[in-house]
Structures are given as structure tokens and as C-alpha cells.
Amino acid sequence: MLGLSLGPGLGYVLLGTLHDAAIRAIIWYISMALVSLWGYRLYRQFDFKRMSHVDLARWYRKITFFYYLMFILWTVIFLLFIPLHASNLHYIAIFTQMGSAVVASSLLFSDRRLYLPIILILMIPLILYFAQISSWYGYVLTVFACVFAWVLTYAASSSNRLLFKTSYQASHDQLTGLYNRNYFIDAMQHTVNALNSNNGYCSLLLIDLDHFKTINDSLGHDVGDVMLKEVARRMGEIVPKNVLIARMGGDEFIVVGGIAASRQRCLADTMEMAEGLRESLKEVYLIGRHHLHISASIGISILHQPKNNANQYIKEADIAMYQVKDKGRDGIVLFGQEISDKVERNLQIERLLHQAIAKNEFYLNFQPQFDPGHNIVGCEVLLRWKNSKLGMVSPLEFIPIAEKTGLIIDIGYWVMQQSFKTLHEWLANGIDLQQLSINVSMRQFFFQTFPNEVDQLSRDYLTPETCCRITFELTESVMAEELDKLVRIMHQLKKQGFSFSIDDFGTGYSSLSYLRKVPLDEIKIDRSFIEEISTSKSDQSMIEMILNLSRVFGLKVVAEGVETQEQEDILLQGGCDLIQGYLLSRPLSREDFELLFRERQQAVPTSKIPDH
């Protein structure tokens, strides 16, 4: 009877307990559902490629609060269910709490500010619960819980250290400790995103060390590495703390300034920072026993409401930096519309140059060369390009582009072929020129097939007797290249009868040692010395020195750019062999040159050598 009477009472207690647990569970599930819904919204809001640094920081603060709230709710359900011993729900609460701690340590190990507090939030209630059990197993469970909490913390901390070490290695340059290119591209993109939202201005500086390769090659990479570390240190001292510095690779560094409210403020801060960097990097470097000096070429791009990605702005700064290189290095250039237009035109010229030969857009002009008696004894071949879209394009514009792209190889071959062919036809038709001068670029001259091409063209159009009428004009810069290879090729071609001239003599790398080693036949005086020869004593002295030098080495002298009678008189009086310039004739088409030559043949020559 007693058992029957106690049974229904125990059942009512059990039902009441379960009913109370159900209510608690429903409340907790609703809370978790709301928090989960908020977490899903945070997930939808995340867009790494479009978010700025500020947006990312704001989003991360929200996600941090979300994690805290989510795991606090797990502690709440532990506190709600732990008193329910009658239905053994406290076992579920205990194992759920421990499982939550495991999840927290494995999920949040990337941020110490997250995993350490949350493990404590989850494990401290469990430890206190075990501690209040007044029995031996309660103490055992307390010790076990403490050890378990330490294991979770240790595992999460070890994973955290490994993650940060790996992340550091992936985002930093190993040598200098600066950020590397991969990290910089992502960071730069966040800056671009920020500018799109706050209407601010930002600067990008690309810094290239001038002649650093020379130090590496001459003193070794160990010295070069020490110098790069010192460069990184100096840059860190100059730029403000909120400025991002990265090493792009080799001797290139990049800097992104802070965001400014106005273009004027941004430009002023940027130029001040760039000038400070340029001056600091020029100071002497004491590395071992070496006192080293380098300079820096700095290209700048200003960003405002940008539409392009980070790589595009790096390209703009790179273009500006190469403008500094072209101007002599050790300077600062700001990328602007003028440079942009120039780059766009260069790209258009490069694209159209590829088709110029196939479309027969090139043609040759001929600049007559006169002896002292005004007889035409030779001419210089001049390349001209008329494009259907661009019209006439100056050689000063398209030749450097052809040099850089390698198109000069094919273009140079076409010029040689047409020149050889023209000389052959002229000689057959009675136009007896003593020399035909052809400009040869450095890149074309050192190209591996050049001697064979010359040999084949001479077989096609010339004879061993007429090869001597071809003169190849080289610029002085060719002497700064592989001198031994230069001399070897020249001797090889001279055996076939070809002659060589140095163009623009006196403006580049000429020296007595070069004149002694290089088998030249002719010197061509640069027009810059002739322009002021009638008014500048120094230019007159320079011309006199060149003429005397040519006699010592047995070289013929051609003066180009002669435009006045006074210039011609001074040159001829000094013993110049040939005159070339607008005073006597402008560059002519083939037909006009032939006409002028025949007229000069019929005219009675008069000496223009002044009386001494």
C-alpha cells in the first residue's frame, strides 16, 4: 500500500520536473535561434574584397560579441539544467558544457581574446559545481575539470601560436620584416574600398633603389642583404605610424599613406614623406669596411574614389617611377593625366608598330652629305613612319618604344634590306655614292643573327667591292656594353669591307681608350655642339678638340645639324670632312634625292673652304 501511495507522488514530481525543464529548454532554444539569426546576418554582411579596414574592424567587433553571447547561452542552459537531478538532466548539462568548451577551444583558437575568456566562462561553473559536491568523487571531478580546462587552454594557445607564426611568414618579407607583396595587395584593396565610402584621398609610393644591382654584383648578396635591412629600418623611421610599408621584391618597396580629407593635404603630406625618404636613403651606408651610396627613384599615385583595383594603382606608381629612371634617377614623379596620356599613346604606338611592316607603312628618307666642294658624296638613311590612325609619327617617339619591345630587330632588318637594295639600284643607275650611312641600334647590333643577316643581304644586293660604301652608325651608348663582343663583331664585318661611325660623338661614353680599341672609320659630331658654335667659345673649343682628335686616330669627321653659313665656315676651316644639315639640304625622298644628285653632278663645283 505504501508503495502504491508513493508511486503517484513520485510520478507527479517527475512530471513537474520534466515540465519545468521543457519550459527552460524552449526559452533557451528561442534565445539561441535569435542569436543564430543574428550570426547568419553577420555572415551575409561579410565581403572581404569590398570591405575597408574600418568595416572589417567593425564587423569583427560584432562577431566577437556574437561568440561571447552564444557561449554564455550554453553556460545559461548548464545553470538551468544542472539542478534537475531527479530526471538525470544534470548529466546532459555537464557533458554539454564540456562539449561547448571543446568546441570553443577548437573554433576560436585564432584569437586569444576570444578562446581564453570563453573557456573560463564555460569551465568555471563546471568546476564550482563539482567542488560543491561533498564527496570524494566530487573532488576528483573538480581536479579533472581543472586539468581539462588547462588542456583546452594549452591546445588552443599552441594552435594560436602556430597560426600566427604561419600567418606572419605568409604576410611578411623574411629578410626585412616588412609586409610582403601578397599581404600588401589585400591591405591596399581595403584602402581602396575605404576611399570609395569616405570620399578621401590616399597616396601610393613605389620606391626603387638606383644601381642596387651593381652593389649586389660587385660586393655580393650578403652586403646587399644588409643594405636592404638598413633601407627598411630608415623607411620605418621616416614614415608615420599609420603608414603601411611593404617590400615588393628585389630592391622595390611600396608605401601607402594615410587617408586625408583633401587632395592638397594628401599631396603635401605625400611629397614631404617622399622627400624625406629620398634624402634618408641617400645617406652613406656603413657596411663592414664599405662606405656605400645609393639613391632612390620614387613614383607616386594619388587615389580618390578609385574605380580600379590595387594592382592598377601599383602600375600607375610604377609608370611614374620609370619616368624618374628615364630622367636620370634620384627623383620623385607624380602620376598624372599627362603621364597617363603618354602611356596610352605609347601603348597604341607599340600595338600599331607590330603591323607597320606588314602594312607597308615605313619608308626611307635620305639626308645628303656634302664634301667641302658641296658635292653629294653620301647620305644618311632616315626611317619614317606614317600610320593610318596616328599620321606621321616621329622617330624620336617610336624608335625608343621599338627598342624596349624588341621590335627594333625586325624594323632594323627592314631598314638594312631597303638600304642595301637602294644602293644597289643607285649604283646600277649611275648614282655613284661613296657612302650610305645606316643607323643600327644597340639591341639590333648585339642580336645573335645580326652578322649573318648583314652577310646574307650583302650577298643579295652588293658585291665585295661595293660593301665598303656601307657605313653602320652606332651610338656611343653601345660602347658601354660588352666592349669585347662589340670589337669582335666590328672586326668580323670590317673584313667584308663595311665601315663604322660613332653617332652623336661627345655626348655619351666616348673616351680615348674606346677610340683606341674600337675599329672606327668615322666620327659624327653631335648637333648640340654645332648649334652654339658661332657664339659659344667652349663649343668652338670642343669642335676643335674633336677635329684634332680625329686626325690623331685617322678618322673621318661628319658634322650634322649644320644650319647656318657661319657654322659651316667654322667647321670647314677646322678640317671637317663632310657637312650634313638643313643649310645644304633637308632629308629627301628617294626621288628627290636622285633629282638633287643629278643636278649637283651637272653643276660646276665651287670650293667652300675659307681662305686661311
Side-chain angles (χ1 to χ4, degrees):
M1 291 296 294
L2 180 61
L4 292 174
S5 63
L6 289 176
L10 183 60
Y12 285 123
V13 172
L14 181 60
L15 288 173
T17 301
L18 293 175
H19 177 72
D20 184 43
I23 293 175
R24 297 180 187 185
I26 290 172
I27 295 173
W28 182 81
Y29 276 122
I30 292 174
S31 301
M32 283 296 290
L34 293 175
V35 173
S36 299
L37 181 61
W38 182 45
Y40 179 73
R41 288 185 61 189
L42 291 176
Y43 162 75
R44 297 284 297 182
Q45 291 172 6
F46 182 76
D47 189 343
F48 185 80
K49 292 184 177 180
R50 296 181 179 274
M51 296 171 76
S52 66
H53 286 292
V54 175
D55 295 332
L56 281 173
R58 188 183 300 115
W59 181 88
Y60 192 74
R61 285 195 298 270
K62 292 179 181 179
I63 204 70
T64 300
F65 184 68
F66 164 76
Y67 278 124
Y68 277 125
L69 186 58
M70 184 178 66
F71 284 103
I72 286 173
L73 283 175
W74 282 106
T75 300
V76 169
I77 197 173
F78 169 78
L79 296 175
L80 289 176
F81 281 86
I82 201 66
L84 304 179
H85 290 267
S87 54
N88 293 329
L89 292 179
H90 63 295
Y91 291 124
I92 298 177
I94 290 170
F95 286 111
T96 301
Q97 191 75 349
M98 294 175 67
S100 300
V102 173
V103 171
S105 65
S106 60
L107 183 66
L108 307 177
F109 68 87
S110 60
D111 191 341
R112 188 178 182 85
R113 295 170 301 174
L114 278 177
Y115 72 80
L116 189 57
I118 289 177
I119 289 176
L120 294 177
I121 289 172
L122 293 171
M123 291 304 296
I124 286 177
L126 197 60
I127 293 171
L128 294 176
Y129 171 71
F130 289 146
Q132 59 87 33
I133 300 176
S134 300
S135 64
W136 65 269
Y137 67 83
Y139 301 126
V140 172
L141 290 174
T142 300
V143 174
F144 170 77
C146 290
V147 172
F148 187 61
W150 176 83
V151 169
L152 292 178
T153 303
Y154 176 79
S157 298
S158 299
S159 300
N160 176 266
R161 287 193 296 270
L162 179 61
L163 175 67
F164 270 81
K165 182 179 179 180
T166 305
S167 176
Y168 183 89
Q169 292 174 342
S171 61
H172 286 73
D173 174 58
Q174 186 177 2
L175 177 65
T176 63
L178 300 176
Y179 289 114
N180 60 21
R181 182 184 180 90
N182 291 336
Y183 177 87
F184 175 81
I185 295 296
D186 288 338
M188 180 62 189
Q189 189 59 53
H190 293 315
T191 302
V192 169
N193 297 338
L195 294 176
N196 284 324
S197 59
N198 63 16
N199 199 34
Y201 293 81
C202 181
S203 61
L204 181 90
L205 288 76
L206 185 63
I207 303 164
D208 185 84
L209 305 181
D210 300 325
H211 305 299
F212 177 76
K213 186 177 183 298
T214 303
I215 293 175
N216 255 351
D217 293 343
S218 59
L219 300 179
H221 288 273
D222 291 342
V223 174
D225 289 347
V226 175
M227 175 172 280
L228 289 175
K229 292 179 182 178
E230 177 63 15
V231 167
R233 187 192 66 78
R234 293 186 186 186
M235 292 177 67
E237 292 179 348
I238 294 296
V239 303
K241 297 299 181 183
N242 64 332
V243 169
L244 176 66
I245 312 175
R247 182 187 176 202
M248 300 301 283
D251 59 349
E252 275 193 352
F253 298 83
I254 199 157
V255 176
V256 176
I259 296 177
S262 66
R263 180 180 177 85
Q264 291 76 11
R265 181 74 268 165
C266 179
L267 189 57
D269 292 344
T270 300
M271 296 306 294
E272 181 181 358
M273 180 170 61
E275 188 60 35
L277 287 169
R278 190 179 71 86
E279 291 297 330
S280 176
L281 296 179
K282 285 178 65 176
E283 295 177 5
V284 64
Y285 294 81
L286 302 177
I287 303 176
R289 297 173 298 169
H290 306 289
H291 291 62
L292 305 176
H293 296 268
I294 58 170
S295 58
S297 300
I298 304 177
I300 301 175
S301 177
I302 300 294
L303 287 65
H304 173 61
Q305 291 185 332
K307 297 180 181 179
N308 299 319
N309 58 28
N311 284 302
Q312 179 63 31
Y313 297 107
I314 295 174
K315 181 180 178 181
E316 290 182 358
D318 189 58
I319 292 170
M321 183 268 292
Y322 274 103
Q323 293 292 314
V324 181
K325 297 284 189 185
D326 292 341
K327 293 180 180 179
R329 297 178 168 85
D330 188 22
I332 303 168
V333 167
L334 174 67
F335 183 87
Q337 190 60 46
E338 181 180 351
I339 295 178
S340 178
D341 293 342
K342 181 180 179 181
V343 170
E344 184 64 31
R345 179 170 172 82
N346 287 348
L347 289 174
Q348 187 179 26
I349 289 175
E350 179 182 342
R351 185 175 66 254
L352 295 174
L353 269 177
H354 283 276
Q355 310 166 17
I357 294 179
K359 291 186 175 182
N360 200 30
E361 295 178 342
F362 288 126
Y363 64 93
L364 300 180
N365 274 350
F366 303 89
Q367 175 97 55
Q369 296 173 337
F370 298 85
D371 65 8
H374 283 187
N375 300 303
I376 298 178
V377 295
C379 68
E380 179 184 358
V381 178
L382 301 175
L383 178 64
R384 296 292 183 262
W385 180 30
K386 185 176 183 180
N387 180 260
S388 57
K389 293 182 179 179
L390 302 178
M392 290 297 302
V393 184
S394 169
L396 297 176
E397 195 173 15
F398 73 82
I399 292 295
I401 296 173
E403 286 270 9
K404 291 179 180 179
T405 59
L407 292 171
I408 194 66
I409 304 298
D410 292 334
I411 295 173
Y413 178 81
W414 182 88
V415 172
M416 281 200 307
Q417 182 184 43
Q418 297 301 313
S419 300
F420 281 36
K421 181 180 179 181
T422 299
L423 179 61
H424 169 74
E425 293 173 351
W426 278 347
L427 294 176
N429 294 322
I431 300 178
D432 190 18
L433 286 181
Q434 295 179 19
Q435 73 175 44
L436 184 74
S437 298
I438 305 171
N439 289 281
V440 179
S441 75
M442 176 185 68
R443 190 161 185 175
Q444 180 188 3
F445 188 83
F446 284 116
F447 195 65
Q448 57 186 356
T449 61
F450 179 74
N452 294 333
E453 290 173 350
V454 174
D455 181 65
Q456 185 59 50
L457 289 174
S458 62
R459 292 174 184 272
D460 293 341
Y461 298 105
L462 302 177
T463 64
E465 292 73 25
T466 57
C467 283
C468 61
R469 305 194 185 211
I470 295 290
T471 298
F472 292 117
E473 288 191 10
L474 307 174
T475 59
E476 282 190 302
S477 60
V478 76
M479 292 186 179
E481 298 298 318
E482 305 173 56
L483 186 60
D484 292 339
K485 184 177 180 180
L486 169 71
V487 172
R488 185 174 68 254
I489 296 174
M490 290 177 70
H491 278 303
Q492 180 180 347
L493 295 177
K494 284 181 72 67
K495 289 179 180 179
Q496 297 176 251
F498 297 102
S499 301
F500 289 93
S501 173
I502 285 295
D503 196 10
D504 302 331
F505 184 80
T507 61
Y509 300 87
S510 57
S511 70
L512 293 178
S513 62
Y514 284 145
L515 292 179
R516 182 172 57 86
K517 294 178 181 178
V518 178
L520 294 172
D521 302 279
E522 178 184 278
I523 290 176
K524 204 166 190 180
I525 304 175
D526 184 66
R527 66 178 66 245
S528 62
F529 296 118
I530 296 173
E531 288 175 352
E532 306 294 333
I533 193 175
S534 58
T535 58
S536 173
K537 294 294 184 181
S538 61
D539 283 353
Q540 289 182 21
S541 299
M542 179 65 75
I543 295 296
E544 183 179 351
M545 183 196 71
I546 293 174
L547 292 170
N548 291 333
L549 196 64
S550 67
R551 283 192 287 268
V552 171
F553 286 96
L555 302 176
K556 184 167 57 178
V557 180
V558 179
E560 64 176 346
V562 179
E563 298 183 355
T564 68
Q565 186 63 55
E566 188 175 3
Q567 291 172 351
E568 183 190 20
D569 291 341
I570 294 173
L571 289 164
L572 292 179
Q573 188 173 7
C576 185
D577 297 291
L578 298 178
I579 299 296
Q580 175 182 325
Y582 274 52
L583 173 66
L584 299 178
S585 176
R586 60 181 178 81
L588 303 172
S589 65
R590 175 172 173 171
E591 293 76 14
D592 290 340
F593 180 86
E594 293 173 355
L595 181 62
L596 179 64
F597 184 88
R598 297 189 188 282
E599 290 176 352
R600 292 283 177 171
Q601 274 187 320
Q602 297 172 0
V604 179
T606 56
S607 176
K608 294 296 295 180
I609 302 178
D611 295 333
H612 294 282

